[in-house]
């Protein structure tokens, strides 16, 4: 039986991770935020976007545990079967807290594997090229591609200013992660 798979795209970070759950009923987004004004639920068409306040943490190790537990709980949620989780892989051009980023991402992958949740990673350049046609696309190009494709301005829906990027860019990236896997499925003509 050919059914529409449940695909989860996760734009994972230490400050504003976002999860896009895509199935036959529509799109459901969940993100963590440290800003009270973005703790909200917005619904339109067959899209639901929910912002959750970042839980408190003691130190970086506890922070990574808290974020990864939140993500795994959201992925497992009420879904009977997750067909695939798609994660944006490391950006090797990243600077700053690269070791902490690696520890945070590694813990999520460990917990997904331990929970027997299948996942794949997509390099950032591949995701950007898929969404915009340019592997080095900036956030504004990703945003414009999303608006052109869906007709939805996430910044406007969330009441964000023009200069703010999170959580809108996280919603957009998680959307394209889920869409990328769906697209690769149809190209391979795989019956899930």
């Amino acid at each position: 039986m050919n059914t529409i798979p449940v695909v989860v795209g996760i734009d994972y970070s230490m400050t504003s991770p976002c999860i896009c759950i895509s199935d036959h009923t529509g799109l459901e987004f969940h993100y963590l935020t440290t800003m009270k004004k973005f703790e909200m639920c917005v619904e339109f068409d067959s899209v639901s976007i929910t912002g959750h306040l970042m839980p408190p943490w003691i130190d970086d190790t506890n922070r990574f545990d808290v974020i990864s537990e939140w993500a795994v709980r959201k992925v497992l949620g009420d879904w009977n079967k997750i067909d695939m989780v798609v994660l944006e892989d490391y950006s090797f051009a990243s600077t700053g807290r690269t070791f902490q980023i690696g520890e945070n991402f590694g813990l999520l992958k460990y917990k997904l594997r331990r929970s027997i949740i299948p996942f794949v990673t997509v390099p950032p350049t591949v995701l950007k090229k898929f969404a915009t046609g340019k592997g080095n696309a900036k956030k504004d190009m990703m945003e414009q591609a999303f608006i052109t494709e869906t007709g939805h301005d996430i910044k406007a829906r969330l009441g964000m200013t023009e200069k703010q990027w999170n959580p809108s860019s996280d919603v957009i990236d998680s959307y394209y992660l889920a869409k990328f896997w769906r697209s690769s499925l149809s190209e391979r003509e795989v019956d899930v």
Side-chain angles (χ1 to χ4, degrees):
M1 180 176 170
N2 189 6
T3 61
I4 296 177
V6 178
V7 180
V8 177
I10 301 179
D11 183 50
Y12 201 64
S13 70
M14 296 189 306
T15 57
S16 184
C18 184
I19 296 170
C20 171
I21 303 168
S22 170
D23 71 355
H24 69 283
T25 64
L27 299 169
E28 183 178 321
F29 295 92
H30 294 273
Y31 62 82
L32 285 179
T33 181
T34 57
M35 300 176 73
K36 181 81 173 140
K37 69 180 181 178
F38 293 127
E39 179 186 30
M40 64 175 76
C41 184
V42 177
E43 294 185 3
F44 51 94
D45 301 332
S46 58
V47 177
S48 169
I49 303 174
T50 306
H52 309 268
L53 274 179
M54 178 82 75
W57 68 87
I58 300 165
D59 55 24
D60 275 347
T61 303
N62 178 243
R63 179 184 190 181
F64 306 153
D65 188 43
V66 165
I67 296 170
S68 60
E69 280 300 312
W70 171 83
V72 170
R73 275 195 322 274
K74 287 295 174 201
V75 168
L76 292 174
D78 296 328
W79 305 97
N80 294 328
K81 182 178 186 292
I82 298 295
D83 293 289
M84 185 58 67
V85 171
V86 186
L87 305 167
E88 186 173 18
D89 208 351
Y90 294 106
S91 169
F92 291 104
S94 292
T95 59
R97 302 181 68 190
T98 55
F99 296 114
Q100 288 87 351
I101 292 167
E103 289 176 357
N104 186 40
F105 192 52
L107 187 55
L108 173 66
K109 291 192 309 186
Y110 169 76
K111 287 182 178 183
L112 289 172
R113 178 73 34 90
R114 187 184 68 199
S115 299
I116 313 172
I117 300 170
F119 68 88
V120 295
T121 60
V122 177
T125 54
V126 171
L127 182 66
K128 291 174 182 184
K129 185 170 178 82
F130 170 74
T132 69
K134 293 189 71 160
N136 63 350
K138 303 291 183 213
K139 291 179 188 293
D140 59 335
M141 290 177 70
M142 295 289 285
E143 177 183 51
Q144 190 53 55
F146 184 84
I147 292 170
T148 300
E149 180 178 323
T150 67
H152 298 297
D153 182 340
I154 297 300
K155 280 186 178 180
R157 297 272 185 187
L158 298 178
M160 297 173 64
T161 67
E162 188 61 33
K163 294 186 179 193
Q164 290 176 309
W165 284 111
N166 294 13
S168 69
S169 67
D170 307 309
V171 168
I172 292 166
D173 286 353
S174 67
Y175 166 80
Y176 278 114
L177 285 162
K179 184 177 180 189
F180 177 82
W181 194 79
R182 283 193 186 286
S183 175
S184 67
L185 258 185
S186 64
E187 286 175 12
R188 292 188 312 254
E189 298 179 353
V190 173
D191 186 12
V192 177

